[in-house]
Amino acid sequence: MKQSAIKPSVLVVDDDSAFRFRLSRAFLDRGWDAFSAEGRLEALGQAHANSPDLILVDLRMPDVDGLDLVAELRALDDSCTIVVLTGYGSIPTALLAVKRGADHYLSKPIDADEIIGVYRQL
């Protein structure tokens, strides 16, 4: 687990703008730096520019399969923690997420405190 010396940072990647905004705001309220992205290109750009400690990736997005994005993000930065978030959880998908480079897999609905708890345990 990589943690910034000043404060941790998170990148929230989700096509649901309301969820993305609420989750990013919740992390900001807890003292984190928070960035967000709606899809693949924006996520890769934000990850490259900001080198977040934690990246949250939605499993299902219109422009990219979240599992493919996990592999791309892992190749970009092997030191970050990647957590897949989904409303469509299954054991085979969770196993595939980890195989592609995710550190953890969580089902929605979920809040920032639960995610931070998991992040601190990794």
Side-chain angles (χ1 to χ4, degrees):
M1 167 177 48
K2 174 180 85 169
Q3 285 196 302
S4 300
I6 300 171
K7 60 182 170 178
S9 61
V10 61
L11 170 59
V12 179
V13 184
D14 199 300
D15 62 310
D16 180 337
S17 60
F19 176 78
R20 192 175 64 246
F21 175 79
R22 280 192 315 272
L23 195 54
S24 294
R25 180 82 242 162
F27 275 96
L28 288 169
D29 290 346
R30 286 156 180 81
W32 288 55
D33 282 331
F35 309 96
S36 66
E38 186 173 356
R40 178 185 173 273
L41 290 178
E42 192 176 2
L44 292 171
Q46 287 282 7
H48 180 73
N50 298 301
S51 189
D53 301 296
L54 172 62
I55 303 176
L56 306 171
V57 179
D58 185 27
L59 182 64
R60 293 189 180 177
M61 293 180 285
D63 73 333
V64 66
D65 179 301
L67 298 179
D68 291 338
L69 183 56
V70 165
E72 289 183 88
L73 290 165
R74 178 58 65 213
L76 186 65
D77 184 353
D78 192 41
S79 66
C80 66
T81 299
I82 300 175
V83 175
V84 172
L85 301 178
T86 184
Y88 308 95
S90 72
I91 292 172
T93 306
L95 294 172
L96 187 53
V98 171
K99 183 177 179 181
R100 295 274 182 99
D103 296 290
H104 205 66
Y105 182 93
L106 298 169
S107 294
K108 293 178 184 177
I110 193 160
D111 64 32
D113 290 327
E114 292 173 286
I115 295 168
I116 291 169
V118 168
Y119 173 70
R120 288 185 176 147
Q121 291 176 16
L122 295 175

